[in-house]
């Protein structure tokens, strides 16, 4: 199991690639999206807290439109989830301990449109990712999968949108990845604030 020490400091590999311009909690900077995973299963107690973190995300009218359908390695449904992946993601995400499909509900109980369903579900995903980062787990989001098959194979109701897939697992050395992915197994940089934060308008 990864490091669950809540001490707030930049991890060494992160500090080598990232230098925040302002004083923010290191948890935000420590979160990144590795691909190399051990292929070992996780105890349920190690990954269920990630969903608990997602549970506490904010949402419009407290609608909580997110839905996380998952399979853990060894589940009967595991191959169903693996087969949703595109060829590229399948080369590394097959080593996850848990695969998750993220859905969002598009209407409320009265049939009214939930215009912020994607925005709100993104907040829940971020909570999940940050809790995973705190625990030293790989938590990697993916858009490269068969969205239509995900809805059909997982019996999603018609008023749920397919948003993303997520791979969760124990970290492994970059050398465990296919050779063409190893050089990219480092925390990525970020766009400067002045390029996406503007005062007074666009």
């Amino acid at each position: 199991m990864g490091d669950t020490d809540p001490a707030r400091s930049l991890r060494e590999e992160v500090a080598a690639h990232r230098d925040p311009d302002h004083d923010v909690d290191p948890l935000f900077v420590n979160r990144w999206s590795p691909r190399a995973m051990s292929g070992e299963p996780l105890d349920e107690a190690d990954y269920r807290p990630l969903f608990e973190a997602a549970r506490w995300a904010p949402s419009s009218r407290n609608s909580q439109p997110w839905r996380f359908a998952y399979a853990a390695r060894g589940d009967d449904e595991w191959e169903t989830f693996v087969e949703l992946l595109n060829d590229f993601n399948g080369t590394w995400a097959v080593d996850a301990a848990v695969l998750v499909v993220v859905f969002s509900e598009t209407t409320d109980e009265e049939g009214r449109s939930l215009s912020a369903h994607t925005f709100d579900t993104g907040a829940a995903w971020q909570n999940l990712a940050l809790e995973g980062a705190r625990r030293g787990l790989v938590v990697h989001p993916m858009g490269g999968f068969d969205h239509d098959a995900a809805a059909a194979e997982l019996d999603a109701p018609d008023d749920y949108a397919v948003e993303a897939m997520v791979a969760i697992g124990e970290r492994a050395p970059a050398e465990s990845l296919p050779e063409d992915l190893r050089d990219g197994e480092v925390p990525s940089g970020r766009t400067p604030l002045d390029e996406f934060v503007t005062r007074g308008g666009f």
Side-chain angles (χ1 to χ4, degrees):
M1 181 48 204
D3 176 18
T4 58
D5 183 356
R8 301 300 195 206
S9 60
L10 282 184
R11 293 181 173 139
E12 185 176 347
E13 69 175 333
V14 172
H17 297 276
R18 293 178 166 182
D19 184 19
D21 292 336
H22 298 275
D23 180 22
V24 297
D25 193 302
L27 177 63
F28 297 108
V29 188
N30 281 332
R31 189 224 62 80
W32 64 290
S33 300
R35 289 189 172 92
M37 291 173 284
S38 69
E40 295 297 317
L42 285 173
D43 290 338
E44 193 172 23
D46 292 333
Y47 64 81
R48 290 286 290 190
L50 279 63
F51 297 115
E52 176 69 15
R55 177 183 175 218
W56 295 101
S59 60
S60 176
R61 305 200 309 265
N62 196 30
S63 58
Q64 303 172 55
W66 45 80
R67 180 70 173 262
F68 299 92
Y70 77 90
R73 180 175 292 278
D75 287 353
D76 291 342
E77 300 84 2
W78 177 253
E79 286 302 322
T80 298
F81 280 70
V82 169
E83 289 172 5
L84 297 175
L85 298 166
N86 67 13
D87 290 342
F88 173 76
N89 287 328
T91 64
W92 59 270
V94 69
D95 289 329
V98 179
L99 288 172
V100 185
V101 178
V102 185
F103 298 89
S104 63
E105 190 173 17
T106 62
T107 58
D108 66 14
E109 294 176 352
E110 299 177 8
R112 298 175 299 182
S113 175
L114 291 172
S115 60
H117 65 93
T118 294
F119 183 81
D120 293 341
T121 300
W125 139 253
Q126 175 76 340
N127 278 16
L128 183 153
L130 290 174
E131 182 61 22
R134 188 182 77 84
R135 292 169 174 267
L137 293 171
V138 171
V139 181
H140 192 115
M142 299 171 282
F145 66 99
D146 190 328
H147 291 60
D148 292 338
E153 294 292 335
L154 305 183
D155 299 320
D158 290 341
D159 60 342
Y160 277 79
V162 179
E163 299 285 358
M165 279 190 77
V166 181
I168 300 169
E170 286 278 11
R171 187 84 182 274
E175 290 72 25
S176 66
L177 289 169
E179 190 171 355
D180 60 335
L181 295 178
R182 294 173 191 171
D183 288 345
E185 189 73 348
V186 294
S188 58
R190 286 296 183 271
T191 302
L193 281 184
D194 288 347
E195 293 189 23
F196 67 91
V197 179
T198 54
R199 188 169 186 169
F202 223 89

